[in-house]
Amino acid sequence: MNSVAVIGAGTMGNGIAHVFAQKGYNVSLIDVSQPALDKALATIAKNLDRQVIKGLMDEAAKESALQNITTFTEMSEGVKGAEIVIEAATENVDLKMKIFKSLDEVTGDDVILATNTSSISITQIAAQTSKPGNVIGMHFMNPVPVMKLVEVIRGYATSDEVTAKVMDMSKNLGKVPTEVNDYPGFVANRILMPMINEAIITLHEGVAGVAEIDTVMKLGMAHPMGPLQLADFIGLDVCLSIMNVLHDGFGNGKYAPCPLLVNMVMAGKLGRKSGEGFYSWSHGTKELIVADNFR
Ligand code: NAD
């Protein structure tokens, strides 16, 4: 395979386009928003520059990677000739259903249809198409050029052949693909999100403060960052929506989102992207917030 179309040019889409382009694939990067496409190309160029500065690639390889990317605002144009389409649009069930219905109409029977969703059922997405055997989850981690894991999620109908092709392709990208089945949260978020939620419950119950909880998990468990800082990076709205998927999907109270998480999202405290979550990010670095704020 050497042609890939990536739908959605946001945080994940630009990273996915970056790694494929760097490996010599022809990449069509598709977004409904032209400013998002412009921003994605600028981000990819900046991230490639960083790799040049670190001596990981030379200037010629950077230029050729950039030339491998073409942008489109029209999905039906962008997917022409692609052997695999990877959808990385906004995490919204209705939107993804609509995109896969349209993809089914504009792609041939041998095109692999992958989604980078963090939490939406691959089986449900596949059911929007006439070829559910071709639909698979390819869950890249953020930042894509740096993180090695690709969680490869088999939907109920995903074929062995499609799974094998996606596993091979991920290895060719220099990633470590790991095959899992399609149940709420897959593996990554089924384990990560309850840990983050439990850290928020621990804060909410006054067992310890933000800095203390993060320090225990960083120094005690050798995690690169504490769970509350990680929640700020991921986005508290994203954490809440994944907890809701786990709660609804398993019908088990152990996945109930912490009321403090719900309140913070309602108050617009979404973490780094909104300037404040468990820490204040308004000056570009993480700063502690007075403990009284977390009621
Ligand atoms: P984002 O908000 O940064 O980007 C989404 C992009 O999709 C936007 O540029 C938007 O304009 C575009 N878009 C919306 N509707 C579209 C359409 N119909 N056609 C084409 N483009 C469209 O989102 P993100 O953080 O990059 O997340 C994308 C996907 O990746 C989501 O499914 C998310 O769950 C998943 N994911 C995110 C992370 C993360 O850390 N951000 C990690 C793993 C997986």
Side-chain angles (χ1 to χ4, degrees), residues 78-90:
V79 299
K80 274 186 193 155
E83 291 147 289
I84 177 165
V85 180
I86 303 174
E87 174 276 319
T90 315

Side-chain angles (χ1 to χ4, degrees), residues 103-124:
L103 273 179
D104 191 38
E105 287 160 16
V106 295
T107 54
D109 285 347
D110 47 1
V111 177
I112 297 177
L113 303 178
T115 171
N116 187 52
T117 180
S118 311
S119 61
I120 298 168
S121 158
I122 309 302
T123 306
Q124 188 186 0

Side-chain angles (χ1 to χ4, degrees), residues 7 10-12 31 88-91 95-96 116 118 139-140 142:
I7 301 179
T11 311
M12 297 305 286
D31 203 292
T90 315
E91 185 81 343
L95 174 70
K96 302 232 191 239
N116 187 52
S118 311
H139 187 201
F140 288 86
N142 185 16

Side-chain angles (χ1 to χ4, degrees), residues 202-217:
T202 308
L203 174 70
H204 186 48
E205 290 180 355
V207 179
V210 171
E212 289 72 18
I213 292 168
D214 275 358
T215 302
V216 167
M217 297 304 286

Side-chain angles (χ1 to χ4, degrees), residues 30-86:
I30 305 161
D31 203 292
V32 284
S33 150
Q34 186 60 48
L37 288 167
D38 297 340
K39 191 172 162 210
L41 286 182
T43 304
I44 294 169
K46 195 180 75 194
N47 290 338
L48 286 166
D49 272 336
R50 201 170 290 152
Q51 287 171 285
V52 173
I53 291 165
K54 283 187 183 162
L56 300 172
M57 66 162 60
D58 60 21
E59 195 66 34
K62 174 197 139 186
E63 285 309 322
S64 108
L66 283 173
Q67 275 165 21
N68 288 340
I69 304 174
T70 314
T71 61
F72 296 86
T73 49
E74 208 34 71
M75 188 170 83
S76 56
E77 285 299 310
V79 299
K80 274 186 193 155
E83 291 147 289
I84 177 165
V85 180
I86 303 174

